[in-house]
Amino acid sequence: MLPYNSSCLSTEVSDFILNCFVRSPSWQHWLSLPLSILFLVAMGANAVLLITIQLEASLHEPMYYLLGLLSLLDIVLCLTVIPKVLAIFWFDLRSISFSACFLQMFIMNSFLPMESCTFLAMAYDRYVAICKPLYYPTIITDQFVAKAVLFILARNTFLTAPIPILSARLHYCGKNIIENCICANLSVSKLSCDNVALNKIYQLIVAWTLLGSDLVLIFISYILILRAILRLKAKGAAAKALSTCGSHFILILFFSTILLVFVFTHMAKKKVSPDIPILLNVLHHVIPAALNPIVYGVRTQEIKEGIRKLLRR
């Protein structure tokens, strides 16, 4: 492996060097194969799910449209992060251009809250289905999905776009080595010669406002759902309702690890190796993406039937 010169540059940098796991370089060897398998599973499973929803008429319903949106977001996030990480692990291709770095930063910072907001829309869908079943056909419609998608795109793009913009406007006249596998905002901006306090404060506020508010509302939705389920008196109704919501709840548990990553990064970095939060951040971009379609495929009878029909064609 060729060493990279970390001395100060005489001019502003035109590209960066991603230096993964500085203190634990051996991690790249044992992570490369599992990460490759997870990436292939994520791409394949989400592609199959999207094709199944598209071709199977019985899945042309709001709940499955939202699930399709979640799969699409997973695919984009995976393609944005994991191929570059694997290129570093397998071929030592560490260089990334200035524009590519900030494009990756934009997608990561905007699409993760988009997923959070999609989970919120799915939780609301289940809340109406269980707590107000008679009104479900009039509330959860194709128009509701269209408005929800527009809201998800507009809210998260508008509020997260300043993060890469603020970082890109900084002057990078010193080291160009990012001690991370990805172009995370704080890892990149700390290389700048300028004051980065505004970048840190804005990212912290936006992250906790978007992800925090979404998860609080999701939690409230499931409390109301659970209360409604416990009141059901029909035989087997409670079990059926719990089964319906089980997949959503499992997916939300997978996704909520992003908050643990933020907490781990900002509060425990002095007590553990700095490589640990980097590892968790990389894994968070691929593990939920690989598990989401599998959980739905296993737990949702309609999707299993749709996949069987697709395979018989």
Side-chain angles (χ1 to χ4, degrees), residues 103-158:
L103 176 61
Q104 185 189 69
M105 186 187 299
F106 167 73
I107 293 175
M108 289 189 300
N109 281 283
S110 58
F111 276 60
L112 282 173
M114 285 182 192
E115 286 198 339
S116 172
C117 204
T118 302
F119 280 122
L120 177 59
M122 295 169 71
Y124 180 70
D125 170 89
R126 291 300 86 197
Y127 165 76
V128 176
I130 293 175
C131 298
K132 299 182 179 181
L134 297 179
Y135 297 99
Y136 183 84
T138 58
I139 296 177
I140 308 299
T141 62
D142 291 349
Q143 288 76 17
F144 165 81
V145 174
K147 291 177 182 178
V149 171
L150 288 175
F151 173 77
I152 290 168
L153 295 175
R155 185 198 76 161
N156 298 291
T157 301
F158 178 76

Side-chain angles (χ1 to χ4, degrees), residues 214-254:
D214 286 347
L215 291 178
V216 167
L217 292 172
I218 289 169
F219 181 70
I220 292 173
S221 297
Y222 276 96
I223 289 178
L224 296 175
I225 289 171
L226 182 60
R227 188 177 67 175
I229 288 174
L230 294 176
R231 291 177 178 176
L232 294 176
K233 297 180 180 180
K235 186 178 181 181
K240 184 178 180 180
L242 284 173
S243 177
T244 302
C245 294
S247 299
H248 298 79
F249 190 70
I250 291 172
L251 297 185
I252 291 166
L253 286 179
F254 289 148

Side-chain angles (χ1 to χ4, degrees), residues 36-92:
S36 299
I37 294 173
L38 283 170
F39 174 69
L40 293 175
V41 170
M43 291 296 100
N46 281 290
V48 169
L49 186 59
L50 283 172
I51 294 171
T52 303
I53 293 173
Q54 172 67 27
L55 298 180
E56 183 56 42
S58 64
L59 299 180
H60 292 176
E61 297 180 3
M63 181 178 74
Y64 300 109
Y65 291 149
L66 292 173
L67 180 59
L69 173 62
L70 182 65
S71 288
L72 189 60
L73 294 174
D74 279 337
I75 289 174
V76 174
L77 272 172
C78 262
L79 288 175
T80 301
V81 173
I82 305 304
K84 182 58 183 177
V85 175
L86 292 176
I88 295 171
F89 287 1
W90 287 104
F91 308 110
D92 202 31

Side-chain angles (χ1 to χ4, degrees), residues 287-309:
I287 290 179
L291 293 178
N292 289 349
I294 293 175
V295 168
Y296 258 96
V298 170
R299 294 182 59 88
T300 307
Q301 185 63 31
E302 292 81 2
I303 292 179
K304 286 193 289 186
E305 289 296 329
I307 293 174
R308 291 193 189 101
K309 291 181 182 179

